[in-house]
Amino acid sequence: SSASHFPCGSFRPLCFHSSSANFCVGTMVRGHAKEEAQAKNAAKLASSKKSGSQMEAREKGLKMVCLSCKLPMTNYKCLVQHYESKHPKETCPAEADCSK
């Protein structure tokens, strides 16, 4: 019988073993399992890729324009708040007038 310091049979100081968890730092998946893991990860990354740029998505989201300063807004409620804070002397135009 071989004597080891840890239940996994190693003498490495980077192993952690407790009653709830056992793992060794530096151990690696080998062979076929490693190839499967790499293929699975590549497929996951490919499926999570987004098409288009962030700037294009931003332009689609900005549906209103302040008629005074031409600042783009996402919705009419934001435009009303903008007029109250930035253009307090002017009245906020109708929603149809500010749409792009």
Side-chain angles (χ1 to χ4, degrees):
S1 137
S2 65
S4 69
H5 293 106
F6 302 105
C8 65
S10 76
F11 290 95
R12 288 179 283 164
L14 296 176
C15 291
F16 171 76
H17 301 280
S18 69
S19 60
S20 62
N22 291 321
F23 64 90
C24 295
V25 175
T27 57
M28 195 169 65
V29 178
R30 295 189 182 99
H32 185 64
K34 180 179 178 182
E35 292 172 6
E36 285 181 349
Q38 287 175 342
K40 181 180 174 184
N41 192 27
K44 183 179 174 184
L45 287 174
S47 68
S48 69
K49 286 231 178 196
K50 296 178 183 175
S51 62
S53 69
Q54 189 174 7
M55 294 301 288
E56 290 172 1
R58 181 179 173 268
E59 286 298 321
K60 289 178 185 175
L62 299 174
K63 296 175 173 56
M64 301 275 167
V65 176
C66 173
L67 298 178
S68 298
C69 62
K70 305 298 183 202
L71 186 72
M73 302 280 162
T74 54
N75 57 27
Y76 188 69
K77 184 177 179 182
C78 289
L79 185 68
V80 171
Q81 290 175 348
H82 169 76
Y83 263 89
E84 290 171 357
S85 64
K86 303 295 181 188
H87 313 293
K89 294 179 182 177
E90 298 177 31
T91 57
C92 186
E95 186 173 357
D97 297 337
C98 300
S99 297
K100 279 188 175 181

